[in-house]
Amino acid sequence: MQYETPSTLPRVDDLSAEHSARVARHLREKIAAAGGSIGFAEYMHEALYAPGLGYYASGTTKLGSAGDFVTAPEISPVFGAVVARQCAEILRDMKNGAVLELGAGSGRLAVDMLTRFESLGCVPQAYNILEVSADLQDRQRHCLQQEAPHLLDRVHWLSELPETFDGAIVANEVLDALPVERFVCRNKRVAQLRVACSEEGFQWVEQAAGDRMLAAVAEIEADRGASFPDRYRSELLFAADALVRDLAVTLRHGIAFFFDYGVTRREFYAGDRSDGWLRCHFRHH
């Protein structure tokens, strides 16, 4: 992949620039309240999910040609049809089985799955969407109202995981939107990379890693069969462990499907990948 410098990116319109400035002020306030720095996971969480400000919680266009990136459901209904067919096999063997989609984006996948369920003659009694963004809930409702209004009564929006659930859980490109922590190996020690402020803007600062980060890095190094080289930086996705654990408690009978892009653990932490995998997308750049 060829990475672009800010000067080669599309121009930021005035409204987006104003919103970005508000997000930056919010982050600076968080950093000041925390005593001068916050972990990158907190920084990323606020940048993506802060109510009314974060990327997924504000009114900006995110998906499709007018947004910043594209997911499989935006390209073709085939993905949703295939997933629905697999889910149908599970739901046919269950009594009152439902679907739970995590983070439904534009609502496109929900439309494609529900219409495929209908053609298969097995529309579930409930298609639940766990969505923390009020803006995205509105977009999803509008998409369903426009393209599958007769199935809208089957859709229910949730703000948190149900205590128990029977059926099929679907998470398309959810894991890669979870906040990560960053670490750096320096002088045979592991430090947590945190975010602070300076006159020039946000900057990295280092702090001695806690026990959880130390144990995670040691486990990865044991799996690699070698220690990380000096100044090696990368990410740790602790949030995924918590999410999967919560889903395991919630799901009594059924199956969970996670769809994402990625590489093997050894490729992710390869020695030549010495600055990690963080990336941002802006207008498909």
Side-chain angles (χ1 to χ4, degrees), residues 113-130:
M113 288 186 63
L114 282 165
T115 52
R116 183 57 172 163
F117 282 136
E118 186 176 36
S119 70
L120 294 171
C122 61
V123 179
Q125 289 299 310
Y127 189 106
N128 303 295
I129 295 176
L130 178 60

Side-chain angles (χ1 to χ4, degrees), residues 136-147:
L136 286 177
Q137 283 187 26
D138 290 340
R139 296 183 188 216
Q140 293 153 13
R141 188 174 287 106
H142 177 75
C143 182
L144 286 154
Q145 182 65 57
Q146 291 291 110
E147 303 202 33

Side-chain angles (χ1 to χ4, degrees), residues 3 180 182 232-235 262-270 272-281:
Y3 294 96
V180 297
R182 296 208 83 199
Y232 187 94
R233 302 194 295 182
S234 195
E235 297 84 43
V263 296
T264 66
R265 189 187 206 189
R266 290 199 174 193
E267 288 175 294
F268 191 95
Y269 294 112
D272 59 355
R273 196 77 190 196
S274 59
D275 197 28
W277 291 75
L278 279 181
R279 64 186 65 173
C280 298
H281 296 268

